[in-house]
Amino acid sequence: MSTDLIRLDPCGLYVPAADIHVDPWRPVERAVITHAHGDHARRGSRQYLTSRRGQGVLRARMGTDARIETLDWGERLRVGDAILSLHPAGHILGSAQVRIEVGGEVWVVSGDYKLTSDPTTTPFEPVGCHVFISECTFGLPVYRWPDPKEVFESILEWWEENAASQRTSVLFGYSLGKAQRLLAGIHERTGRHGAPGPILVHGAVHRLLAPYREAGIALPEVEMANRSSAEQAGGRALVVAPPSAGGTSWIRAFSPSSTAFASGWMRLRGTRRRRGGDRGFVLSDHVDWDGLLNAVEATGAQRVGLTHGNTAAAARYLREDRAIDSWALPTRFQGEAGAETDDPEADDGGDTPRTDDSSPKGGAAT
Amino acid sequence: MKAFTRLFTRLDRTTRTSLKVEALEDYFRAAPPADSAWALWVLSGARVKRSVHTGRLREWVAEAAQIPLWLLEESYDAVGDLAETLALLLPEPPKADRDPPALHQVMDDWILPLRRRSDPEKKELLQEAWDRLEPQERLVFHKLITGGFRVGVGRKLVTRALASVVGMEPAVLAHRTTGRWEPTARDFLLITSPDADLPDPGQPYPFLLANPLENGPAELPGPPECWQVEWKWDGIRGQLILRDGEVLIWSRGEELVTPTFPEVAEGARILPSGTVLDGELLAWKGEGPLPFHQLQRRLGRKRVGRKLLDEVPVTFLAYDLLEQGGEDLREKPLKERRRRLEALFSQRNLESPTKVDPPGESRAGLPLALSPLVRVESWAAAAELRGRSRELRREGLMLKDRESAYGVGRIRGPWWKWKVDPLSLDGVLIYAQRGHGRRASLFTDYTFGVWDGDDLVPVGKAYSGLSDAEIREVDRWIRGHVVDRFGPVRAVEPGLVFELAFDGIRPSSRHRSGVALRFPRMARWRRDKPPSEADTLAGVLGLLQRMERDG
Ligand SMILES: [Zn+2]
């Protein structure tokens, strides 16, 4: 891969022509950040480049000292011999794909992305390229997402049932991205029909609401979740909390409760029963199998590199059944699909209790 | 199928017994008898004969999903459940107005006829079924086709729920649903109508199961005199039924094993009709029982040759009398049942409980004998005797409440098993495989090895014994230390040491080490031990030799 536009060095994906890293694992001079999740945006680099939409959440994660520059969608920036631009990935607020062009050759790094609808993020835009580096977290054909509309219907039904029997509804979702998507999705529906009760959120979720509101995303009124706000709601509340809050004494304040988990992993019965509490809702911010194949086709790429998840299987399928030269890129956190450590949506790597995103357990590849 | 799938989903979703019973009651209250019959049948663990080769099924699903077969296998590896994998892979059913048939129609029109069809016809039939079923219904459908229907409800729970719906005693219903009945509306109505007169003579009673006594008999209520003490035999539990001149032997798994033990069936003819005995089937020769692995040579056979009958003769050691003269004795106290049992045996000149300390072995070798009482003056004396269990090839002692009735299932109180402390060794984790069901995506099935020179040779597989947190930690470690893959099996670096408890050890030609452990389980994670300090094969072989000699 010596003549490749992007190569892997000890810090991650490196673009020699621009002397810049994409989502580096360690501090570097200049970093392009696809989105603010802990395993893509690590502290300590001298300079960051991210999308204008993503600036707020990245700032919230990086602190006030970080040097962050931004690009509008599609805005072209020359860096060394390369032209860089950012394009919507549809993963979380401001999440971007990185387009790199050098001497007429184009590579695109997808970051995390999805094709399903989500009011909190700009929809994924396929970008034509020669080489596409795609995430593959859910790269097996058993992962196919249901229509989010139906998922939100069942979330509301569940909440209504619980409220009717005065059982607090506790819904777990990753605190950056998933939680806001849940709130926005619920808001879209309860705005019309009214909500069964108040919405309470965990502190980790609360901290990340401001950048979303500032970006103009419609979110419902919420209160901080604690014993007194729960008691006041008399079992009619919906509590949105990161998965790390499960099993803590904090969560016991809401008893009696029904617990649920919103994640792509809930597609499997095994994980649903192991991690899902009373209910598991299949709602993912990652691309599913069909979406991956569609995205690859839409880019027109003849070479596809895959990271995260069961990359070997998806690469083999693309090679053998789609005649696309495909290979598996080493992922920072080695593991097999479904591993607890690279369980992007089940685990909330670098979330509530940890502020230091370089913690070794940050294997949550979200 | 809608209602049954909903039941499956509700059962699958919760671990709370009360919610499971509620879901079962809701189902049985609303379902027509023809559906209830099948639901009862599959939920109580009865198997539907496999009607399609799973290899074929995989091929057809791969074809319908337009993926190569290897990708289906990769998916199965990640999901851990075949029925579910297939349901997840199939394309969405057509949106046309789809009315899934009732459960009994699914069974009668699709699943039962499948067996007699040719492969192309089977494929056509399956395609028709898939088109008419929702994804979750397909999962249930695949479970029905492939056998294994486990949703965390036992026969006992199902019986309890159904009994409350039809207004019957759970014990009566449990008895009627044990053994032989057909999943038809007619049979279902018969067994669930409180005053039906059931003609089938062959039904066994549900077994009363013992609970383990973790901290010794001091925790039991009452002095030793309140307790009937017996040996815990290392055989298989059985029920011997004599009704209408017929002899039937049922195993605890409710399999009819009469042809497997012809000498016992023959010997039992000396007893009067209307007799039901609970006891243990044991390989027994001369002075005492043979090791369990000898008895295993007799299991699963429909016909037993002369040679094997000579080499491994089997005895039924009776320890309870459940029916006499056609009368159900289960409500009578144990002391009364035991008195009648002893009287019956002495009347027929069968083994009587003479001197039993040390146990009277002299009369053994008979196809039918009485499991002797162990008389102890104190719990201390009992403990001492229990300490000799292993050399006598016994598993420990049984303690039974003399006043207790013969209940159904594993109820706490009447029967306790006080097993001998397990043997143990320190083994190194060498292979791992994903589990099934709740732990399908975790590596939970482990193979352990001991040192043979510089080599680690496998001695046993274990699944349980770790906490959920430990399982996750070991799972993570495994994923980072894989050195090789063989299908679903991962070979890992030697790094983790576990203390394995086991009940016995036997020679095995299937294992490279030449030995296999009996009932190995993980006693604890030896984080303090480096792999180099795990046990050696020489040490394990020494243990085997000592046991063969002492036994
Ligand atoms: Zn992410």
Side-chain angles (χ1 to χ4, degrees):
Chain A
M1 273 179 53
S2 58
T3 59
D4 285 347
L5 283 195
I6 297 180
R7 65 168 196 242
L8 214 57
D9 78 0
C11 298
L13 294 176
Y14 177 62
V15 188
D19 187 23
I20 197 167
H21 284 83
V22 181
D23 291 350
W25 308 324
R26 297 181 187 165
V28 296
E29 258 324 278
R30 304 194 70 193
V32 190
I33 300 298
T34 59
H35 66 288
H37 276 148
D39 57 337
H40 292 258
R42 294 184 176 267
R43 290 175 178 220
S45 289
R46 224 173 54 77
Q47 202 180 328
Y48 295 96
L49 181 64
T50 199
S51 76
R52 189 179 300 282
R53 291 285 286 173
Q55 186 185 14
V57 276
L58 188 63
R59 175 69 67 198
R61 298 297 287 250
M62 290 297 186
T64 45
D65 300 340
R67 270 182 67 191
I68 301 175
E69 287 170 22
T70 63
L71 285 179
D72 280 327
W73 294 132
E75 185 184 346
R76 293 157 76 91
L77 178 71
R78 176 168 282 278
V79 187
D81 294 333
I83 298 166
L84 301 186
S85 58
L86 300 178
H87 305 265
H91 174 58
I92 64 169
L93 175 62
S95 65
Q97 308 174 70
V98 184
R99 181 184 184 276
I100 299 148
E101 182 180 340
V102 179
E105 188 177 343
V106 178
W107 287 44
V108 168
V109 180
S110 74
D112 291 341
Y113 68 103
K114 69 170 174 289
L115 273 54
T116 39
S117 72
D118 172 357
T120 67
T121 164
T122 320
F124 174 87
E125 248 171 44
V127 180
C129 57
H130 299 99
V131 183
F132 185 45
I133 310 284
S134 171
E135 70 135 320
C136 182
T137 308
F138 291 102
L140 280 175
V142 285
Y143 295 110
R144 280 186 315 205
W145 306 148
D147 186 346
K149 260 195 228 104
E150 287 168 24
V151 179
F152 277 104
E153 298 294 327
S154 13
I155 292 177
L156 275 184
E157 258 170 48
W158 165 76
W159 182 12
E160 274 157 15
E161 268 170 39
N162 293 332
S165 45
Q166 271 130 55
R167 211 163 41 208
T168 304
S169 307
V170 179
L171 180 54
F172 294 115
Y174 190 73
S175 61
L176 170 56
K178 183 63 61 63
Q180 292 75 18
R181 183 183 183 192
L182 288 168
L183 292 171
I186 288 165
H187 187 56
E188 273 184 356
R189 282 150 190 88
T190 53
R192 287 195 301 273
H193 314 295
I199 300 175
L200 313 178
V201 299
H202 184 271
V205 174
H206 198 267
R207 265 203 302 285
L208 290 161
L209 295 182
Y212 274 77
R213 293 196 200 272
E214 280 156 23
I217 311 287
L219 295 176
E221 286 302 310
V222 299
E223 280 175 69
M224 282 289 268
N226 50 43
R227 192 179 289 275
S228 78
S229 62
E231 266 168 21
Q232 222 162 35
R236 303 190 64 83
L238 171 72
V239 176
V240 178
S244 60
T248 64
S249 59
W250 179 83
I251 210 76
R252 284 195 284 277
F254 309 107
S255 178
S257 66
S258 172
T259 56
F261 200 167
S263 157
W265 298 112
M266 295 299 114
R267 172 83 169 154
L268 302 192
R269 231 173 111 228
T271 3
R272 209 154 60 221
R273 290 195 299 185
R274 196 154 45 77
R275 304 289 299 268
D278 299 315
R279 290 293 289 273
F281 298 111
V282 186
L283 191 75
S284 177
D285 289 331
H286 292 265
V287 68
D288 66 358
W289 175 255
D290 292 342
L292 174 67
L293 298 182
N294 288 339
V296 164
E297 200 181 318
T299 61
Q302 278 314 298
R303 290 178 66 199
V304 173
L306 297 170
T307 72
H308 295 96
N310 197 339
T311 49
R316 178 177 169 192
Y317 177 80
L318 287 177
R319 280 194 310 272
E320 293 180 1
D321 286 63
R322 303 274 165 136
I324 289 172
D325 178 15
S326 182
W327 78 100
L329 259 76
T331 305
R332 173 76 170 95
F333 297 96
Q334 287 295 349
E336 302 219 359
E340 297 283 326
T341 40
D342 71 350
D343 210 347
E345 310 209 311
D347 213 309
D348 64 332
D351 218 26
T352 13
R354 272 173 262 116
T355 46
D356 173 16
D357 279 335
S358 63
S359 114
K361 212 216 146 204
T366 307
Chain B
M1 196 64 172
K2 249 196 177 74
F4 187 66
T5 301
R6 185 168 157 68
L7 170 64
F8 174 87
T9 307
R10 285 176 71 183
L11 293 174
D12 194 42
R13 213 178 252 169
T14 183
T15 50
R16 292 220 289 270
T17 306
S18 60
L19 292 182
K20 289 187 179 193
V21 172
E22 197 181 296
L24 287 162
E25 287 177 357
D26 286 350
Y27 178 82
F28 284 121
R29 212 169 280 127
D35 284 354
S36 291
W38 276 112
L40 177 62
W41 180 266
V42 294
L43 289 173
S44 24
R47 277 179 170 265
V48 182
K49 269 206 182 146
R50 211 170 62 198
S51 46
V52 48
H53 190 257
T54 58
R56 277 284 114 78
L57 197 58
R58 292 175 201 212
E59 281 168 29
W60 297 335
V61 170
E63 195 180 307
Q66 297 179 324
I67 56 166
L69 195 57
W70 66 262
L71 190 51
L72 181 145
E73 299 298 342
E74 285 276 347
S75 301
Y76 176 30
D77 192 22
V79 175
D81 179 308
L82 185 63
E84 183 186 0
T85 308
L86 302 181
L88 291 172
L89 287 174
L90 284 168
E92 289 284 308
K95 280 279 177 227
D97 57 327
R98 182 177 45 242
D99 194 19
L103 175 62
H104 77 271
Q105 289 170 312
V106 168
M107 298 305 305
D108 294 341
D109 300 349
W110 288 339
I111 294 179
L112 296 181
L114 260 184
R115 284 173 59 70
R116 297 184 301 273
R117 301 287 174 89
S118 67
D119 272 357
E121 288 169 336
K122 284 184 185 185
K123 191 176 162 190
E124 204 175 312
L125 201 85
L126 287 171
Q127 190 58 57
E128 181 197 328
W130 290 332
D131 282 348
R132 286 185 60 193
L133 299 172
E134 300 278 352
Q136 180 78 353
E137 291 166 354
R138 289 168 173 176
L139 164 64
V140 174
F141 177 63
H142 293 150
K143 291 245 165 229
L144 293 170
I145 295 183
T146 53
F149 209 98
R150 282 192 304 255
V151 274
V153 296
R155 159 192 292 280
K156 202 173 142 193
L157 215 60
V158 181
T159 312
R160 193 171 115 195
L162 180 57
S164 100
V165 170
V166 298
M168 272 172 75
E169 278 301 311
V172 176
L173 187 63
H175 181 208
R176 288 189 186 177
T177 56
T178 305
R180 288 187 287 191
W181 64 281
E182 294 297 319
T184 60
R186 190 185 147 274
D187 277 15
F188 179 81
L189 289 172
L190 202 62
I191 54 182
T192 54
S193 69
D195 30 50
D197 182 22
L198 286 165
D200 187 348
Q203 308 263 3
Y205 291 102
F207 286 87
L208 171 58
L209 305 176
N211 278 287
L213 193 61
E214 308 287 359
N215 304 315
E219 68 184 85
L220 295 179
E225 301 85 78
C226 299
W227 296 86
Q228 174 172 313
V229 183
E230 299 165 33
W231 288 106
K232 175 158 179 23
W233 301 105
D234 191 10
I236 61 167
R237 187 85 179 269
Q239 206 173 114
L240 189 63
I241 299 179
L242 286 105
R243 290 194 195 121
D244 304 338
E246 206 186 338
V247 180
L248 298 167
I249 307 170
W250 290 88
S251 76
R252 208 197 97 187
E254 279 156 24
E255 251 177 302
L256 201 51
V257 292
T258 323
T260 312
F261 304 106
E263 71 270 63
V264 175
E266 196 45 49
R269 294 200 172 275
I270 195 168
L271 296 170
S273 195
T275 303
V276 177
L277 299 173
D278 183 9
E280 193 96 354
L281 290 152
L282 273 178
W284 194 294
K285 204 169 194 179
E287 294 296 294
L290 296 172
F292 187 79
H293 63 259
Q294 292 291 342
L295 177 63
Q296 271 176 324
R297 296 171 58 198
R298 288 282 304 266
L299 304 182
R301 288 172 188 272
K302 286 273 174 249
R303 204 168 296 121
V304 191
R306 193 68 254 162
K307 187 164 169 281
L308 194 55
L309 276 175
D310 284 342
E311 280 174 20
V312 190
V314 169
T315 295
F316 183 90
L317 281 186
Y319 39 61
D320 214 326
L321 180 62
L322 309 184
E323 185 178 309
Q324 189 174 32
E327 182 199 355
D328 182 352
L329 302 182
R330 293 178 300 155
E331 287 303 314
K332 303 224 178 292
L334 173 61
K335 60 182 183 194
E336 165 73 7
R337 302 198 307 272
R338 179 75 196 188
R339 196 187 56 70
R340 291 196 191 207
L341 176 67
E342 289 178 3
L344 174 69
F345 271 57
S346 74
Q347 200 183 42
R348 302 275 154 168
N349 271 327
L350 286 160
E351 163 93 332
S352 60
T354 51
K355 194 173 160 328
V356 288
D357 186 16
E361 322 265 38
S362 53
R363 308 288 297 274
L366 295 171
L368 188 60
L370 195 61
S371 177
L373 296 185
V374 178
R375 303 202 192 279
V376 292
E377 302 300 321
S378 64
W379 289 135
E384 205 179 307
L385 216 47
R386 169 176 167 267
R388 295 184 54 206
S389 297
R390 192 161 280 129
E391 74 187 65
L392 295 168
R393 290 215 179 100
R394 270 140 232 210
E395 286 196 295
L397 294 175
M398 293 294 301
L399 307 175
K400 300 176 178 174
D401 182 348
R402 288 186 197 278
E403 302 296 330
S404 65
Y406 190 96
V408 172
R410 200 178 299 281
I411 43 180
R412 283 183 76 80
W415 285 21
W416 298 94
K417 50 183 174 189
W418 189 22
K419 283 174 81 162
V420 69
D421 294 329
L423 299 157
S424 77
L425 63 77
D426 291 329
V428 182
L429 174 66
I430 50 177
Y431 303 121
Q433 206 173 337
R434 289 174 200 266
H436 286 275
R438 194 171 72 90
R439 292 176 174 158
S441 52
L442 293 174
F443 284 97
T444 56
D445 301 1
Y446 311 133
T447 302
F448 297 93
V450 292
W451 293 105
D452 181 18
D454 290 337
D455 245 12
L456 280 166
V457 289
V459 287
K461 258 184 117 166
Y463 310 89
S464 62
L466 295 182
S467 70
D468 274 9
E470 284 175 326
I471 287 174
R472 276 205 285 277
E473 195 179 339
V474 174
D475 174 82
R476 260 198 300 277
W477 185 91
I478 288 169
R479 287 165 200 273
H481 296 83
V482 172
V483 291
D484 209 349
R485 318 168 51 135
F486 323 95
V489 179
R490 303 286 180 272
V492 295
E493 280 169 31
L496 304 189
V497 179
F498 293 85
E499 180 183 320
L500 302 180
F502 53 98
D503 289 355
I505 191 166
R506 65 181 166 82
S508 161
S509 52
R510 286 197 310 121
H511 289 74
R512 196 146 49 87
S513 60
V515 294
L517 306 181
R518 182 144 186 254
F519 295 136
R521 60 250 182 215
M522 281 171 270
R524 68 198 158 112
W525 185 352
R526 295 297 304 258
R527 295 173 193 259
D528 55 320
K529 270 206 172 178
S532 58
E533 285 177 27
D535 276 298
T536 62
L537 182 59
V540 176
L541 289 172
L543 194 61
L544 173 65
Q545 272 162 12
R546 269 199 310 284
M547 288 180 50
E548 300 246 292
R549 200 180 51 228
D550 297 344

